[in-house]
Short mmCIF file of all heavy atoms in Angstrom, two decimals:
data_model
loop_
_atom_site.label_atom_id
_atom_site.label_comp_id
_atom_site.label_asym_id
_atom_site.label_seq_id
_atom_site.Cartn_x
_atom_site.Cartn_y
_atom_site.Cartn_z
N PHE A 1 102.32 99.29 98.22
CA PHE A 1 101.89 99.66 96.88
C PHE A 1 102.77 100.79 96.37
O PHE A 1 102.92 101.81 97.04
CB PHE A 1 100.45 100.16 96.88
CG PHE A 1 99.43 99.14 97.34
CD1 PHE A 1 98.20 99.56 97.77
CD2 PHE A 1 99.69 97.79 97.34
CE1 PHE A 1 97.24 98.65 98.18
CE2 PHE A 1 98.75 96.86 97.74
CZ PHE A 1 97.51 97.29 98.16
N LYS A 2 103.35 100.60 95.18
CA LYS A 2 104.18 101.64 94.59
C LYS A 2 103.74 101.92 93.17
O LYS A 2 103.59 101.01 92.35
CB LYS A 2 105.65 101.21 94.54
CG LYS A 2 106.33 101.11 95.88
CD LYS A 2 107.78 100.74 95.70
CE LYS A 2 108.46 100.55 97.03
NZ LYS A 2 109.87 100.13 96.85
N ILE A 3 103.54 103.20 92.89
CA ILE A 3 103.32 103.68 91.53
C ILE A 3 104.26 104.87 91.37
O ILE A 3 104.29 105.75 92.23
CB ILE A 3 101.86 104.11 91.28
CG1 ILE A 3 100.92 102.93 91.47
CG2 ILE A 3 101.72 104.70 89.88
CD1 ILE A 3 99.45 103.29 91.38
N ARG A 4 104.99 104.88 90.30
CA ARG A 4 105.98 105.94 90.10
C ARG A 4 105.86 106.51 88.70
O ARG A 4 105.77 105.76 87.72
CB ARG A 4 107.38 105.38 90.33
CG ARG A 4 108.46 106.41 90.27
CD ARG A 4 109.77 105.82 90.72
NE ARG A 4 110.86 106.63 90.27
CZ ARG A 4 112.13 106.27 90.29
NH1 ARG A 4 112.48 105.10 90.76
NH2 ARG A 4 113.05 107.09 89.85
N LEU A 5 105.84 107.82 88.62
CA LEU A 5 105.91 108.54 87.35
C LEU A 5 107.25 109.23 87.31
O LEU A 5 107.62 109.92 88.27
CB LEU A 5 104.79 109.57 87.25
CG LEU A 5 103.40 109.03 86.92
CD1 LEU A 5 102.80 108.35 88.11
CD2 LEU A 5 102.52 110.13 86.42
N ASP A 6 107.98 109.04 86.23
CA ASP A 6 109.33 109.59 86.16
C ASP A 6 109.65 109.96 84.71
O ASP A 6 108.95 109.56 83.78
CB ASP A 6 110.32 108.54 86.65
CG ASP A 6 111.61 109.14 87.19
OD1 ASP A 6 111.88 110.34 86.94
OD2 ASP A 6 112.36 108.41 87.86
N ILE A 7 110.70 110.73 84.56
CA ILE A 7 111.23 111.09 83.25
C ILE A 7 112.58 110.39 83.10
O ILE A 7 113.47 110.57 83.93
CB ILE A 7 111.44 112.62 83.10
CG1 ILE A 7 110.20 113.39 83.47
CG2 ILE A 7 111.96 112.95 81.70
CD1 ILE A 7 109.04 113.20 82.55
N VAL A 8 112.70 109.56 82.06
CA VAL A 8 113.95 108.86 81.78
C VAL A 8 114.26 109.07 80.30
O VAL A 8 113.44 108.73 79.44
CB VAL A 8 113.83 107.35 82.09
CG1 VAL A 8 115.12 106.63 81.75
CG2 VAL A 8 113.42 107.11 83.53
N ASP A 9 115.41 109.65 80.03
CA ASP A 9 115.82 109.90 78.64
C ASP A 9 114.73 110.63 77.85
O ASP A 9 114.41 110.26 76.72
CB ASP A 9 116.19 108.60 77.92
CG ASP A 9 117.41 107.94 78.52
OD1 ASP A 9 118.28 108.66 79.06
OD2 ASP A 9 117.52 106.70 78.45
N ASN A 10 114.15 111.65 78.46
CA ASN A 10 113.12 112.50 77.85
C ASN A 10 111.84 111.72 77.50
O ASN A 10 111.08 112.11 76.63
CB ASN A 10 113.66 113.19 76.60
CG ASN A 10 112.97 114.51 76.35
OD1 ASN A 10 112.54 115.19 77.29
ND2 ASN A 10 112.83 114.89 75.10
N LYS A 11 111.62 110.62 78.21
CA LYS A 11 110.41 109.82 78.05
C LYS A 11 109.72 109.73 79.41
O LYS A 11 110.39 109.69 80.44
CB LYS A 11 110.74 108.41 77.55
CG LYS A 11 111.41 108.41 76.20
CD LYS A 11 111.92 107.04 75.84
CE LYS A 11 112.66 107.14 74.53
NZ LYS A 11 113.76 106.24 74.43
N VAL A 12 108.40 109.70 79.41
CA VAL A 12 107.65 109.57 80.65
C VAL A 12 107.44 108.09 80.92
O VAL A 12 106.98 107.34 80.04
CB VAL A 12 106.28 110.28 80.56
CG1 VAL A 12 105.46 110.05 81.81
CG2 VAL A 12 106.48 111.78 80.32
N VAL A 13 107.80 107.65 82.13
CA VAL A 13 107.62 106.26 82.53
C VAL A 13 106.60 106.21 83.65
O VAL A 13 106.72 106.92 84.64
CB VAL A 13 108.95 105.62 82.99
CG1 VAL A 13 108.73 104.17 83.41
CG2 VAL A 13 110.01 105.71 81.90
N ILE A 14 105.57 105.38 83.48
CA ILE A 14 104.57 105.13 84.51
C ILE A 14 104.75 103.68 84.91
O ILE A 14 104.55 102.77 84.10
CB ILE A 14 103.13 105.39 84.00
CG1 ILE A 14 102.97 106.84 83.55
CG2 ILE A 14 102.12 105.09 85.10
CD1 ILE A 14 103.14 107.02 82.10
N ALA A 15 105.17 103.46 86.15
CA ALA A 15 105.54 102.12 86.60
C ALA A 15 104.85 101.78 87.91
O ALA A 15 104.45 102.65 88.67
CB ALA A 15 107.05 102.04 86.77
N ASP A 16 104.73 100.47 88.16
CA ASP A 16 104.17 100.02 89.44
C ASP A 16 104.89 98.75 89.88
O ASP A 16 105.69 98.19 89.14
CB ASP A 16 102.65 99.79 89.32
CG ASP A 16 102.27 98.70 88.35
OD1 ASP A 16 102.77 97.56 88.48
OD2 ASP A 16 101.44 98.96 87.46
N ASN A 17 104.59 98.33 91.09
CA ASN A 17 105.17 97.08 91.59
C ASN A 17 104.11 95.98 91.66
O ASN A 17 104.15 95.11 92.51
CB ASN A 17 105.85 97.28 92.95
CG ASN A 17 104.88 97.61 94.06
OD1 ASN A 17 103.79 98.15 93.82
ND2 ASN A 17 105.25 97.30 95.29
N GLY A 18 103.18 96.02 90.72
CA GLY A 18 102.14 95.00 90.64
C GLY A 18 102.64 93.75 89.95
O GLY A 18 103.83 93.45 89.94
N THR A 19 101.71 93.03 89.34
CA THR A 19 102.03 91.74 88.74
C THR A 19 102.81 91.83 87.45
O THR A 19 103.42 90.85 87.03
CB THR A 19 100.73 90.96 88.45
OG1 THR A 19 99.92 91.73 87.55
CG2 THR A 19 99.95 90.68 89.72
N GLY A 20 102.80 92.98 86.81
CA GLY A 20 103.48 93.11 85.51
C GLY A 20 102.69 92.42 84.42
O GLY A 20 101.57 91.96 84.63
N VAL A 21 103.27 92.33 83.25
CA VAL A 21 102.61 91.73 82.08
C VAL A 21 103.42 90.52 81.65
O VAL A 21 104.65 90.59 81.53
CB VAL A 21 102.52 92.76 80.93
CG1 VAL A 21 101.94 92.12 79.68
CG2 VAL A 21 101.69 93.96 81.35
N TYR A 22 102.74 89.41 81.42
CA TYR A 22 103.42 88.21 80.92
C TYR A 22 103.97 88.50 79.53
O TYR A 22 103.33 89.15 78.72
CB TYR A 22 102.46 87.03 80.86
CG TYR A 22 101.99 86.58 82.22
CD1 TYR A 22 100.67 86.77 82.61
CD2 TYR A 22 102.87 85.98 83.13
CE1 TYR A 22 100.23 86.38 83.87
CE2 TYR A 22 102.43 85.60 84.39
CZ TYR A 22 101.11 85.80 84.74
OH TYR A 22 100.69 85.42 85.99
N SER A 23 105.15 87.98 79.27
CA SER A 23 105.82 88.27 78.00
C SER A 23 104.96 87.88 76.79
O SER A 23 104.99 88.56 75.77
CB SER A 23 107.18 87.58 77.94
OG SER A 23 107.04 86.19 78.08
N ASP A 24 104.17 86.82 76.90
CA ASP A 24 103.31 86.41 75.78
C ASP A 24 102.20 87.41 75.51
O ASP A 24 101.64 87.44 74.42
CB ASP A 24 102.67 85.05 76.07
CG ASP A 24 103.67 83.91 76.02
OD1 ASP A 24 104.79 84.12 75.50
OD2 ASP A 24 103.35 82.82 76.52
N ASP A 25 101.86 88.24 76.51
CA ASP A 25 100.75 89.19 76.37
C ASP A 25 101.18 90.57 75.88
O ASP A 25 100.33 91.38 75.49
CB ASP A 25 100.01 89.35 77.70
CG ASP A 25 99.31 88.08 78.13
OD1 ASP A 25 98.97 87.27 77.24
OD2 ASP A 25 99.10 87.90 79.34
N ILE A 26 102.46 90.86 75.89
CA ILE A 26 102.93 92.21 75.56
C ILE A 26 102.49 92.63 74.16
O ILE A 26 102.04 93.76 73.96
CB ILE A 26 104.46 92.31 75.72
CG1 ILE A 26 104.82 92.18 77.20
CG2 ILE A 26 104.99 93.63 75.16
CD1 ILE A 26 106.30 92.07 77.49
N LYS A 27 102.56 91.73 73.20
CA LYS A 27 102.21 92.09 71.81
C LYS A 27 100.73 92.42 71.66
O LYS A 27 100.34 93.11 70.72
CB LYS A 27 102.61 90.97 70.86
CG LYS A 27 101.84 89.68 71.04
CD LYS A 27 102.34 88.58 70.12
CE LYS A 27 101.62 87.28 70.26
NZ LYS A 27 101.37 86.80 71.60
N SER A 28 99.88 91.98 72.59
CA SER A 28 98.43 92.20 72.49
C SER A 28 97.92 93.33 73.38
O SER A 28 96.74 93.65 73.32
CB SER A 28 97.70 90.91 72.88
OG SER A 28 98.10 89.86 72.05
N LEU A 29 98.78 93.91 74.19
CA LEU A 29 98.34 94.89 75.19
C LEU A 29 97.47 96.01 74.65
O LEU A 29 96.52 96.42 75.29
CB LEU A 29 99.55 95.53 75.89
CG LEU A 29 100.14 94.78 77.05
CD1 LEU A 29 101.34 95.54 77.59
CD2 LEU A 29 99.13 94.52 78.12
N PHE A 30 97.80 96.53 73.50
CA PHE A 30 97.10 97.70 72.96
C PHE A 30 96.02 97.31 71.94
O PHE A 30 95.45 98.17 71.29
CB PHE A 30 98.11 98.67 72.34
CG PHE A 30 99.09 99.21 73.36
CD1 PHE A 30 100.34 98.62 73.52
CD2 PHE A 30 98.74 100.27 74.17
CE1 PHE A 30 101.23 99.11 74.47
CE2 PHE A 30 99.63 100.77 75.12
CZ PHE A 30 100.87 100.18 75.27
N THR A 31 95.76 96.02 71.83
CA THR A 31 94.72 95.52 70.93
C THR A 31 93.36 95.71 71.59
O THR A 31 93.19 95.37 72.76
CB THR A 31 94.95 94.02 70.63
OG1 THR A 31 96.26 93.88 70.10
CG2 THR A 31 93.92 93.50 69.65
N ILE A 32 92.40 96.21 70.83
CA ILE A 32 91.08 96.44 71.38
C ILE A 32 90.46 95.12 71.86
O ILE A 32 90.62 94.09 71.22
CB ILE A 32 90.16 97.19 70.40
CG1 ILE A 32 88.91 97.67 71.12
CG2 ILE A 32 89.82 96.33 69.19
CD1 ILE A 32 88.26 98.87 70.53
N PHE A 33 89.82 95.18 73.01
CA PHE A 33 89.14 94.07 73.68
C PHE A 33 90.08 93.05 74.31
O PHE A 33 89.63 92.02 74.80
CB PHE A 33 88.12 93.37 72.78
CG PHE A 33 87.11 94.31 72.18
CD1 PHE A 33 86.88 94.33 70.82
CD2 PHE A 33 86.39 95.19 72.99
CE1 PHE A 33 85.95 95.20 70.26
CE2 PHE A 33 85.47 96.07 72.44
CZ PHE A 33 85.25 96.07 71.08
N PHE A 34 91.38 93.32 74.34
CA PHE A 34 92.31 92.43 75.03
C PHE A 34 92.34 92.82 76.51
O PHE A 34 92.62 93.96 76.86
CB PHE A 34 93.72 92.52 74.46
CG PHE A 34 94.71 91.67 75.20
CD1 PHE A 34 94.79 90.32 74.94
CD2 PHE A 34 95.52 92.21 76.18
CE1 PHE A 34 95.68 89.51 75.64
CE2 PHE A 34 96.42 91.43 76.89
CZ PHE A 34 96.50 90.07 76.62
N THR A 35 92.05 91.87 77.38
CA THR A 35 92.13 92.12 78.82
C THR A 35 92.47 90.84 79.55
O THR A 35 92.14 89.74 79.09
CB THR A 35 90.82 92.71 79.38
OG1 THR A 35 91.00 93.05 80.76
CG2 THR A 35 89.66 91.74 79.24
N LYS A 36 93.12 90.98 80.67
CA LYS A 36 93.40 89.86 81.58
C LYS A 36 92.71 90.08 82.93
O LYS A 36 92.86 89.27 83.83
CB LYS A 36 94.92 89.72 81.80
CG LYS A 36 95.66 89.22 80.59
CD LYS A 36 95.33 87.75 80.32
CE LYS A 36 96.21 87.18 79.26
NZ LYS A 36 96.19 85.73 79.23
N LYS A 37 91.98 91.18 83.05
CA LYS A 37 91.27 91.47 84.30
C LYS A 37 90.14 90.48 84.49
O LYS A 37 89.41 90.16 83.55
CB LYS A 37 90.72 92.89 84.29
CG LYS A 37 91.78 93.97 84.38
CD LYS A 37 91.14 95.34 84.43
CE LYS A 37 92.19 96.42 84.57
NZ LYS A 37 91.59 97.77 84.58
N THR A 38 89.99 90.02 85.73
CA THR A 38 88.91 89.08 86.02
C THR A 38 87.60 89.80 86.28
O THR A 38 86.54 89.21 86.17
CB THR A 38 89.26 88.21 87.25
OG1 THR A 38 89.55 89.06 88.36
CG2 THR A 38 90.44 87.32 86.93
N ARG A 39 87.67 91.08 86.60
CA ARG A 39 86.47 91.88 86.79
C ARG A 39 86.76 93.33 86.41
O ARG A 39 87.85 93.84 86.62
CB ARG A 39 85.94 91.80 88.21
CG ARG A 39 86.85 92.41 89.25
CD ARG A 39 86.36 92.14 90.67
NE ARG A 39 87.02 92.82 91.73
CZ ARG A 39 88.31 92.94 91.95
NH1 ARG A 39 89.16 92.44 91.10
NH2 ARG A 39 88.79 93.57 92.99
N GLY A 40 85.78 93.97 85.79
CA GLY A 40 85.90 95.39 85.49
C GLY A 40 86.70 95.74 84.25
O GLY A 40 86.86 96.91 83.93
N GLY A 41 87.18 94.75 83.53
CA GLY A 41 87.99 95.04 82.35
C GLY A 41 87.22 94.79 81.06
O GLY A 41 86.54 93.78 80.93
N ARG A 42 87.34 95.72 80.15
CA ARG A 42 86.68 95.55 78.85
C ARG A 42 87.70 95.49 77.71
O ARG A 42 87.34 95.24 76.58
CB ARG A 42 85.70 96.69 78.61
CG ARG A 42 84.56 96.65 79.58
CD ARG A 42 83.45 97.58 79.14
NE ARG A 42 82.30 97.40 79.98
CZ ARG A 42 81.90 98.26 80.90
NH1 ARG A 42 82.57 99.38 81.09
NH2 ARG A 42 80.84 98.03 81.62
N GLY A 43 88.95 95.82 78.01
CA GLY A 43 89.98 95.72 76.99
C GLY A 43 90.00 96.88 76.01
O GLY A 43 90.45 96.71 74.87
N VAL A 44 89.55 98.05 76.43
CA VAL A 44 89.60 99.21 75.53
C VAL A 44 90.53 100.31 76.04
O VAL A 44 90.94 101.16 75.26
CB VAL A 44 88.19 99.79 75.26
CG1 VAL A 44 87.33 98.80 74.52
CG2 VAL A 44 87.52 100.25 76.53
N GLY A 45 90.88 100.30 77.31
CA GLY A 45 91.66 101.39 77.91
C GLY A 45 93.01 101.64 77.25
O GLY A 45 93.30 102.75 76.84
N LEU A 46 93.82 100.60 77.15
CA LEU A 46 95.15 100.80 76.56
C LEU A 46 95.06 101.09 75.06
O LEU A 46 95.85 101.86 74.52
CB LEU A 46 96.04 99.57 76.81
CG LEU A 46 96.51 99.41 78.25
CD1 LEU A 46 97.28 98.11 78.41
CD2 LEU A 46 97.34 100.60 78.70
N HIS A 47 94.08 100.50 74.42
CA HIS A 47 93.86 100.79 73.00
C HIS A 47 93.56 102.28 72.81
O HIS A 47 94.15 102.94 71.94
CB HIS A 47 92.71 99.93 72.46
CG HIS A 47 92.34 100.25 71.06
ND1 HIS A 47 93.10 99.86 69.98
CD2 HIS A 47 91.30 100.96 70.55
CE1 HIS A 47 92.54 100.30 68.87
NE2 HIS A 47 91.44 100.97 69.18
N LEU A 48 92.68 102.82 73.65
CA LEU A 48 92.34 104.24 73.57
C LEU A 48 93.52 105.13 73.97
O LEU A 48 93.69 106.21 73.41
CB LEU A 48 91.11 104.56 74.41
CG LEU A 48 89.81 103.96 73.90
CD1 LEU A 48 88.67 104.26 74.86
CD2 LEU A 48 89.49 104.46 72.50
#
């Protein structure tokens, strides 16, 4: 399991080696109630 917080070009990057996000889902990531979690997800975290 890898999670890394880093500074790149004066930006904070929070990265992991998990499944990543499907390209079709990127545009919806920050939309309220959007989730791909099978359990425990309500789709408000990234929106907030």
Side-chain angles (χ1 to χ4, degrees):
F1 298 161
K2 291 182 184 178
I3 299 174
R4 185 170 161 193
L5 283 74
D6 205 345
I7 308 293
V8 179
D9 295 331
N10 209 31
K11 298 171 184 147
V12 175
V13 180
I14 300 97
D16 63 54
N17 67 334
T19 59
V21 175
Y22 294 111
S23 59
D24 290 345
D25 294 335
I26 293 172
K27 66 183 180 315
S28 302
L29 275 179
F30 298 96
T31 304
I32 193 154
F33 306 128
F34 177 81
T35 185
K36 290 290 188 164
K37 289 183 178 178
T38 56
R39 65 188 189 312
R42 294 193 173 108
V44 296
L46 288 175
H47 175 75
L48 292 176

